[in-house]
Amino acid sequence: MTLLVVIATIGIVAYAGFLLDPRHRGDWIPYILVIAAETILICHALLSMWTILAGGGDPRDFAYHVAQGRLLTRESRGDDTIRLHGKEVLVDVFVTVYGEDLDTVRRTVTAAVALRGRHRTWVLDDGHSDEVRAMAAETGAWYVRRLTSTGAKAGNINHALSLAKGDFFVIFDADFVPSRQFLFETLPFFADESVAFVQTPQAYGNLHTVIARGAAYMQTVFYRFIQPGRNRFNAAMCVGTNVVFRRTAIDEIGGMHTDSKSEDVWTSILLHERGWRSVFLRDVLAIGEAPETIEAYSRQQLRWATGGFEILFQHNPLSPRRRLTVDQRIQYFVTATFYLTGICPLLLLVVPPLEIYFELRPMHLDITVLTWLLYYAGFYVLQIGLAWFAVGSFRWETLTLATVSFPIYTKALVNVIAGRDEGWHVTGRSTTRSPFNFIIPQTLFLVFLALTTLVGIWRDIDNGTPTLATAWNATNTVILAAFIATAWHEARAGIRRTGVVAIEAETESAPLTVIARPPAPEPVRPAAASVAPANSPLRVGAGAPLAAAPPVDARRLSRADIRARRRALGGRT
């Protein structure tokens, strides 16, 4: 990997020198388009190479192994209490739910309940599903439902933090099934009191569609090499799931950040500004689901890109007001500008038609096709080779998605600049609408490029000389055609996910929190449990199981019902 990175870096520098040489400059319009796009791509490529070279070390140190050896010292005697520095710690495991398929949620919750080490599993249901509540009771998880979905996922977690009081909390999206060893592998890092969170990779198990494979492999280099490299700079960031937080660190910044589509990155940068440390562990400890449809992929990328651009324009990491190290500033600036690389293909798609229709060339006529290809290969072919090595094979699906996603990232940039809000959509979920509803720009570009390719071929035959512009335009046409063919296959085969039904805010009474505690197989230490008044959240302590009173929606109880239930519970509310 190091050898490939060094060779790729040489190729990047050589290509940059070739483009910037004034002797090679052609017509201004296509040249500016090429320089703008390639400058962004080259800068990101160089910074990625630097980050990859900085990584490679295992973040587990001596203190980690000592803490892990003492984490579950009494497990052999039937006591799975987790201990750090000899002190018992309480861990809350949050599974965030927002309309996902019940079987998907059940798999995740069942695995979360079965995690090694004593903990409490909470199902945070913003989908208001009675089926999910019943499932939580069956699996032995606590259930929390709030009336509204204010703050989206981050608001859901912050609400749960007002009820759960563990020393640490874990976040899993509803479709990420954790390994039983998750806590055992991550909690020892917190023996270092400066560690705020430990992040593990996102890995996917549903690679049976073109979109799912492209979306999954697109992130491979990031999780295998970029995130581990960021450990060196204390800039590994949270990605929203498969992560453990120290409660005191989150309390210090006022909870998870709620004013962005990327609450994970914002929370990371706020913690780093306060001097907290983060750790990325490259071991795969949870398997999730990648978006399988064009709609699901488009919504996911739009949300992620919007969050990145929000950081760029609202919390620029390079600002002197940010309390970050130089390395952290660079890494977060790369994160904030990353999706600009997704807009670059739009600029490059326009260059060949400018030559075919208007004889405007980005490079001087004295440059031969062979010379251009040599420098071009030194940049792009080596980049593809690097990704090939990381993934293990060439993935045309990833190349296709990277080329055709420019309308998504352009829309995200425009939305952030204009202050438009697209609302929250669950990653991986889609409705039953046609995929062509989400790829109108790509379809129009395909028609335009296909016609341009025919014009280019006719011109080359007439001139008796093949041109790079025609070959370049034909390649872009093929890539877009492959994507459109994927959409056609998806529409014909009916590859769709269950729609997420919009959740209407209930207005029949004052806001309440509904909590259902799972029935326990045997009595536990008694303690007071309480139900707050109708105008405040419910809070349930670590008291005896409410076996005599099955979970109900408190809004539907009359005063007589409440008095009867209080008597049945021996006077406790």
Side-chain angles (χ1 to χ4, degrees), residues 210-211 294 434-439 443 480-496:
V210 171
I211 301 300
I294 289 175
S434 168
F436 287 96
N437 291 343
F438 300 90
I439 57 171
T443 304
L480 276 167
F483 180 68
I484 299 302
T486 299
W488 177 82
H489 173 74
E490 179 182 312
R492 185 176 182 184
I495 305 174
R496 302 184 180 94

Side-chain angles (χ1 to χ4, degrees), residues 248-261:
T248 54
I250 290 298
D251 287 345
E252 185 176 312
I253 63 171
M256 304 290 290
H257 187 82
T258 57
D259 297 329
S260 172
K261 298 295 179 295

Side-chain angles (χ1 to χ4, degrees), residues 59-71 83-85 186-193 195 277:
R60 301 176 178 92
D61 55 13
F62 180 75
Y64 169 92
H65 291 292
V66 171
Q68 189 179 58
R70 299 173 179 174
L71 198 69
R83 290 175 173 82
L84 278 177
H85 297 301
T186 56
L187 284 177
F189 286 107
F190 292 98
D192 182 347
E193 296 291 343
V195 172
R277 284 190 57 226

Side-chain angles (χ1 to χ4, degrees), residues 62 247 349 353 372 384 421 473 477 484 550:
F62 180 75
R247 174 62 182 261
L349 286 175
W372 171 272
I384 294 174
D421 188 356
N473 196 83
T477 304
I484 299 302

